[in-house]
Amino acid sequence: MDGKVVETPAEPVDSRLKDKVRIKNYPCEERNGILWTWMGDPDARPALPSMEWNMVPAENVHVSFRVQECNWLQAVEGEIDSAHAPILHGRIDSKGAISDWVAKRDLRPVFECQRQEFGMSVASRRVLDEATNYWRVNQFLFPFYTLVPPQSQYPELSGHAWVPIDDENTLCIMFSYHPSQPLYEKTRKLFEAGHNGRETGHASVDAFAPRPPSEPYAKYWTKFNLKAAFMFDYDAQTKTWFSGLPGLWVQDAACQSGVAPVYDRTREHLGISDTGVAMTRRLLLERVRQLKERGEKPARYDDPTLWMVRAVSLTLAAGETWQAQEEVMKAKLGADFGYAL
Ligand SMILES: [Fe+2]
């Protein structure tokens, strides 16, 4: 990967053209099936960021790729918003795990956000009863990572790298992993094949609508896009799924990209439940200005351990704070969740 020309078959035998010409190249490093590259100053190249999903044994993790036709920030904002989950992903026929999900018992979570060196913790509190709260803490990690907490029915941590392709397209790298044991074979099959024609959080093999090889990420475009109305089915909406959209990631993708690839933020109406989105937006804007105007980089951006963080779901006594559970928010390779799901 040094950008050298290997052969110039039509040039004279003693031509040295191939020794002089180089294409622009970037260093690549592979770790557990993910190719990382550094496109900045070669002399300022930091170590690969330590991210738990990219470091656990291969049997503990499932990673999938797909292209989503919207700006990466819209996708980030959708995933750090925890309020939508029991509503958008809900069923109306009372079947399926989401209907029994504890988060469904309080549809109006109260948000608490905390700035971190790695980005932002977006915590949501749901009241289970007078003595007990259910907390979900989603994490946003600079520059475009999100982490979603596990659920008792789905004991995996998950999240995305929302890698910008351009302003209107995003490469979505989704990961689901168990921190200390292999994923169940059944779980992996569900991720790969979907369930009764529905998608899970991962794009299944049937989701893809490949484009000509000349297009970037040709294999990873899907049939669930705005043109196809994300396969919205009115009948399903009246009988099974609240959203009428066939599966978890499709429901998210439709809401994140449905209005426009870059929506007009001057015309939106943020509510109290958008606190996490608003705070994260403000943080990003501040950091961008700091870098642009003063050349200040985010703290510890070159410290690989900065990203060793977990999203958590905690049932706590009323009055207990999620911030006090700092230990279980640290990612420790090989260690279990550290609390009961
Ligand atoms: Fe969602």
Side-chain angles (χ1 to χ4, degrees), residues 60-127:
N60 292 23
V61 62
H62 182 78
V63 180
S64 63
F65 296 74
R66 64 181 171 82
V67 175
Q68 187 165 309
E69 293 164 64
C70 76
N71 184 269
W72 64 278
L73 186 59
Q74 286 171 211
V76 165
E77 292 181 351
E79 189 140 285
I80 56 172
D81 164 57
S82 150
H84 79 272
I87 302 167
L88 175 66
H89 304 308
R91 292 183 69 125
I92 54 172
D93 60 0
S94 301
K95 285 186 198 156
I98 197 98
S99 303
D100 316 322
W101 189 24
V102 66
K104 219 171 164 234
R105 288 161 57 182
D106 183 356
L107 294 180
R108 301 177 202 279
V110 173
F111 282 86
E112 286 184 13
C113 299
Q114 186 169 311
R115 287 178 175 219
Q116 309 277 10
E117 282 184 316
F118 60 75
M120 180 74 78
S121 293
V122 180
S124 57
R125 172 172 54 84
R126 291 175 166 90
V127 177

Side-chain angles (χ1 to χ4, degrees), residues 33-34 63-67 171-174 202-203 208 220 222:
I34 302 293
V63 180
S64 63
F65 296 74
R66 64 181 171 82
V67 175
L171 179 68
C172 313
I173 305 177
M174 173 159 190
H202 289 270
F208 294 97
Y220 298 116
T222 75

